[in-house]
Amino acid sequence: MVSKTMKLVNAQGLHMRPAQVFAAEMKNFECDVNLECNGKKANGKSLMMIMACAMKCGMEVNIQCDGPDEEAALAKAVELIESGFGED
Amino acid sequence: MLKGIAASEGIGIGKVIVIRDQDVTYEQKTVANPEEEVKRLHDAVDEFMVKTERLAEDMEKSVNPKEAQIIRGHMEMLEDPFMVSQMDDMIKDEGMCAEAAAETVLNMFKAMFEGVEDELIQQRATDIEDIKSRLLKILLGIAEADLKTLPPETVLVVGDLTPSMTAELNKDNVAAIVTESGGMTSHSAILSRALEIPAVLSVLNATATLRDGATVIVDGSNGVVINDPTVDEAEEYKKKQAEYFAEKERLRAYIGKESLTADGIKKDVFCNIGNPKDGIKAKEKDGEGVGLFRTEFLFMDRDSVPNEEEQYEAYKKVCDTLANKTVIIRTLDVGGDKEIPYMNLPKEENPFLGYRAVRYCLQNKDQFSLQLRALIRANADTSGNLWIMVPMITTVSEFKEVKAFVEELAAELDMPVPKVGTMVETPAAFMIADKLAKYCDFFSIGTNDLTQYIMAADRGNSKVAYLYNTYDPAVLRAIRQIIETGVEGGIPVGMCGEAAADPLLIPLLISFGLTEFSVSPTSVLKTRAEIARWSKAEADHIAETVMALETAEEAYEQLKSFVRG
């Protein structure tokens, strides 16, 4: 398993649209993706679970990937969060 | 007369059609063949997707692409791997029928979203409710209420206006919308504004009180619904409606445009707001920024000072709403006529000349630091266009003390120092404006207090009300001098009092060199239109004539003849 903790930078946090982008990208990987944030856990491939965590800008999020393509999945997850999902 | 939330402006007159929630109760039964039941659920989900895509396409045409995204979001939510697979499990493992499985899973997510401390996500719970009701209707074979064939001049009365209802609505036939639930930021409100249909929301028992076929007037600007109006009322509102349409048509040309004088000088039209939700109004009404965000609301109607986090959230929210635009936030303006009981400010003989605003804040630095830290953090975590405005400055040392305090706190937080400026509203600040300009990043003129202090006339005292007049040459001279001093000092000067939206004063303000006009959200387009009427040369000519006059009455009459012709 590989994991990384990072800060959310996009202004609105992981609300509907970024959560949807994130989940859709993660579904392309075979490995399990789990997020831990705000004292809650979420399956990283589930838009609904991610939204229910209400991750806001400035919060720390821990990403865990476990499976054959875990390295690639983590790299993609980090890239998405770092880019702020293309928001201002 | 019924009252509710004025969610979408305009006046609609028409006949009531009540749309009642359809009955989606079903019999809970154990299924004999789970495989077949799963297939029934999947077929219903497929049908949901097809219907929803069609709704979204309709909506792109009838409303706008942004609102259609709400509907497409419903498809994404139902496509979530956890959604349908959990429903499948309930059918297979517990023998639930498809209806019960769908309802259980959707209710679970709804409860999860409702429990979250984030307004954006809480609102998604209404989306889930919408998905649930439509999916259940498909499973139960119930037809959706038909909103495509409403007769002309319908006043639609519903419990809650769902996004899917709005997509189907023939908007040309809907004169107004009345609902029993929803606030300013609900889907119902956002959608009715996008459709430009007058709407009053959260009217208690509307579906019971308003009867099918009855004539009603819906005043979406004031949040009023008049049931069975008298002939006089109907006449009055027809007139208002015609005026509203004429004005709207005139101002339409200014939507989304820069604010320019007739000879092309760029001005900014900003908004005055009193809480984070007004930020949405400012944006929708095409404000180019916020020129005054009064922070008193955060401190009122409670028992103790709001903590740093709570303040940070409120400030950040406005900056997020108006991303990349300037947001000027005024530090606490307590005292004077604004009382906050738990602060225990002693009763004073002359509260307007007493312990208020920055005078209070500098004596209560622990409390002041909460607000300043929240502002510095909100600025650092957004696009960095948050400006701090300090009210009631009378001396240079007061301002320097505030600025040094902001710099000290920003250093502690290791964050950039926001711009800090002063609200010029005391005669002292106006007399030393040149000195203040050296330290301030901007000036903003608060005309209400400035008028009262220059004229030495209490705004609330009717015996001296005749003196309280912004057209008085003394006040006009002060305004001119403040603007000119700021311009000479190389800092932007704005105005955040009522005067900034006054068509009679706008040519004077253009002539003096004012760069930013901060007005109520509903006045943005009007102010932009007034600015566009005048060139600098015409404005200078008006100013020269008016500034030579001796009394407020003369100035007023002269301005009226110039402006209204």
Side-chain angles (χ1 to χ4, degrees):
Chain A
M1 190 193 76
V2 290
S3 76
K4 188 178 164 88
T5 300
M6 57 194 303
K7 216 176 191 180
L8 285 176
V9 292
N10 61 314
Q12 304 267 344
L14 277 183
H15 63 99
M16 180 101 182
R17 202 192 64 83
Q20 195 268 323
V21 171
F22 189 87
E25 288 283 350
M26 289 301 115
K27 274 187 226 166
N28 295 328
F29 295 96
E30 208 183 310
C31 65
D32 289 337
V33 181
N34 284 297
L35 302 178
E36 215 176 320
C37 178
N38 202 9
K40 291 176 195 158
K41 281 188 184 175
N43 184 312
K45 297 182 181 181
S46 165
L47 151 74
M48 301 296 281
M49 293 298 200
I50 297 174
M51 278 170 64
C53 284
M55 305 180 197
K56 292 187 206 168
C57 183
M59 281 185 180
E60 299 259 310
V61 55
N62 179 254
I63 315 152
Q64 299 160 6
C65 300
D66 194 1
D69 50 1
E70 56 188 33
E71 293 287 349
L74 185 66
K76 185 72 198 174
V78 169
E79 182 199 319
L80 283 170
I81 293 178
E82 265 175 0
S83 74
F85 299 92
E87 293 188 356
D88 304 315
Chain B
M1 191 170 85
L2 308 171
K3 287 203 159 185
I5 296 171
S8 177
E9 62 176 24
I11 290 160
I13 305 171
K15 292 211 185 310
V16 170
I17 289 187
V18 181
I19 305 289
R20 292 195 170 74
D21 289 340
Q22 281 159 301
D23 186 17
V24 286
T25 50
Y26 52 89
E27 207 180 314
Q28 293 244 21
K29 49 179 188 246
T30 313
V31 292
N33 187 341
E35 291 304 323
E36 237 168 60
E37 194 65 6
V38 166
K39 185 170 180 308
R40 196 164 76 84
L41 172 69
H42 289 190
D43 287 348
V45 170
D46 289 346
E47 192 180 333
F48 178 95
M49 296 296 173
V50 172
K51 280 190 170 165
T52 309
E53 179 53 37
R54 208 157 51 216
L55 277 178
E57 279 163 19
D58 284 352
M59 209 155 179
E60 253 155 22
K61 284 178 226 132
S62 67
V63 193
N64 62 45
K66 219 180 110 211
E67 309 307 330
Q69 268 189 8
I70 297 180
I71 287 283
R72 289 223 161 80
H74 290 181
M75 297 165 68
E76 282 154 13
M77 288 167 126
L78 199 55
E79 268 167 2
D80 190 285
F82 271 73
M83 264 303 190
V84 180
S85 72
Q86 282 193 54
M87 295 175 192
D88 292 352
D89 290 349
M90 289 183 167
I91 297 172
K92 287 184 212 155
D93 303 345
E94 296 170 41
M96 275 192 191
C97 60
E99 289 86 354
E103 185 162 32
T104 310
V105 172
L106 285 159
N107 278 348
M108 182 190 84
F109 278 111
K110 190 180 165 206
M112 245 154 93
F113 284 10
E114 278 171 344
V116 153
E117 278 178 26
D118 181 317
E119 206 184 330
L120 269 176
I121 290 176
Q122 278 171 10
Q123 281 178 12
R124 291 275 103 88
T126 63
D127 290 286
I128 298 183
E129 190 61 40
D130 195 7
I131 296 172
K132 189 175 82 184
S133 110
R134 277 189 304 136
L135 189 58
L136 285 177
K137 278 179 211 159
I138 292 172
L139 282 165
L140 295 165
I142 300 169
E144 291 277 347
D146 184 8
L147 299 183
K148 279 187 181 149
T149 55
L150 294 171
E153 296 188 356
T154 294
V155 171
L156 192 62
V157 180
V158 289
D160 188 17
L161 187 71
T162 63
S164 54
M165 277 184 188
T166 328
E168 293 194 312
L169 214 59
N170 178 353
K171 66 174 173 181
D172 296 334
N173 286 356
V174 180
I177 294 167
V178 179
T179 73
E180 289 180 345
S181 62
M184 277 308 287
T185 58
S186 65
H187 280 330
S188 314
I190 293 167
L191 291 165
S192 49
R193 287 197 291 271
L195 290 165
E196 300 188 1
I197 298 175
V200 178
L201 308 187
S202 285
V203 177
L204 275 179
N205 298 326
T207 58
T209 317
L210 300 171
R211 291 174 328 278
D212 277 306
T215 299
V216 294
I217 296 169
V218 178
D219 180 350
S221 309
N222 295 303
V224 169
V225 179
I226 300 170
N227 199 359
D228 289 327
T230 64
V231 178
D232 285 353
E233 278 171 334
E235 279 306 311
E236 182 197 333
Y237 274 92
K238 270 191 190 133
K239 219 178 112 204
K240 278 193 191 171
Q241 192 183 31
E243 285 165 7
Y244 174 81
F245 281 132
E247 178 73 358
K248 197 166 154 184
E249 214 33 58
R250 183 178 80 86
L251 296 177
R252 201 179 283 279
Y254 295 94
I255 297 172
K257 298 283 159 56
E258 287 194 312
S259 302
L260 300 171
T261 60
D263 52 344
I265 304 170
K266 170 91 179 79
K267 303 289 181 191
D268 289 317
V269 178
F270 285 5
C271 292
N272 300 330
I273 63 172
N275 63 59
K277 281 192 180 157
D278 286 352
I280 297 167
K281 248 191 235 168
K283 192 179 169 193
E284 286 182 350
K285 295 289 174 190
D286 214 20
E288 295 160 67
V290 167
L292 166 64
F293 175 13
R294 304 177 187 91
T295 54
E296 288 74 55
F297 85 96
L298 271 167
F299 295 80
M300 288 172 157
D301 298 323
R302 53 188 297 148
D303 305 321
S304 61
V305 175
N307 64 29
E308 183 182 322
E309 216 46 42
E310 199 175 326
Q311 295 194 48
Y312 164 80
E313 289 292 336
Y315 306 148
K316 183 168 172 293
K317 191 168 182 180
V318 176
C319 294
D320 282 339
T321 307
L322 291 131
N324 297 322
K325 294 188 164 135
T326 303
V327 174
I328 303 178
I329 302 184
R330 183 174 72 188
T331 57
L332 182 63
D333 191 11
V334 65
D337 53 353
K338 299 184 203 89
E339 242 188 280
I340 300 177
Y342 61 83
M343 289 191 179
N344 294 319
L345 291 181
K347 278 257 173 273
E348 296 181 341
E349 291 271 327
N350 290 304
F352 276 109
L353 304 182
Y355 189 44
R356 64 173 290 207
V358 72
R359 302 169 181 185
Y360 170 86
C361 290
L362 284 174
Q363 296 296 315
N364 293 274
K365 276 198 166 173
D366 284 348
Q367 191 187 312
F368 195 26
S369 73
L370 296 181
Q371 180 163 42
L372 294 178
R373 285 172 59 95
L375 290 166
I376 294 165
R377 287 176 50 207
N379 179 55
D381 291 345
T382 56
S383 51
N385 293 312
L386 184 159
W387 299 6
I388 298 174
M389 173 156 78
V390 190
M392 269 306 276
I393 289 285
T394 42
T395 68
V396 170
S397 40
E398 247 171 7
F399 186 78
K400 283 166 83 175
E401 191 178 347
V402 175
K403 190 152 184 196
F405 196 30
V406 172
E407 284 165 347
E408 181 193 322
L409 294 169
E412 269 174 35
L413 288 162
D414 195 21
M415 286 176 177
V417 182
K419 288 197 169 152
V420 189
T422 182
M423 189 145 170
V424 183
E425 54 189 336
T426 66
F430 134 66
M431 297 298 290
I432 55 158
D434 57 328
K435 305 289 178 201
L436 282 169
K438 287 201 285 187
Y439 304 96
C440 290
D441 294 314
F442 64 93
F443 281 165
S444 184
I445 304 172
T447 45
N448 297 345
D449 272 346
L450 183 72
T451 303
Q452 139 166 301
Y453 290 131
I454 293 279
M455 300 307 294
D458 183 345
R459 309 194 225 172
N461 184 337
S462 59
K463 288 222 173 66
V464 295
Y466 70 97
L467 288 170
Y468 182 91
N469 191 329
T470 306
Y471 301 106
D472 197 282
V475 182
L476 294 180
R477 282 187 188 193
I479 291 172
R480 178 172 67 183
Q481 194 175 322
I482 295 164
I483 297 172
E484 287 176 353
T485 309
V487 171
E488 274 165 34
I491 59 172
V493 185
M495 177 175 283
C496 56
E498 294 305 313
D502 181 347
L504 298 189
L505 291 174
I506 284 172
L508 291 186
L509 300 174
I510 291 172
S511 170
F512 299 162
L514 192 77
T515 49
E516 174 237 301
F517 297 68
S518 192
V519 303
S520 69
T522 49
S523 300
V524 169
L525 293 178
K526 264 178 252 168
T527 305
R528 187 172 292 152
E530 288 299 322
I531 290 171
R533 279 181 66 186
W534 310 103
S535 69
K536 180 75 166 59
E538 286 164 331
D540 284 345
H541 169 68
I542 294 173
E544 201 181 324
T545 313
V546 172
M547 295 307 283
L549 301 173
E550 292 175 352
T551 68
E553 293 69 30
E554 284 170 15
Y556 177 74
E557 289 304 326
Q558 185 66 61
L559 282 168
K560 223 166 66 174
S561 75
F562 274 125
V563 175
R564 301 203 184 128

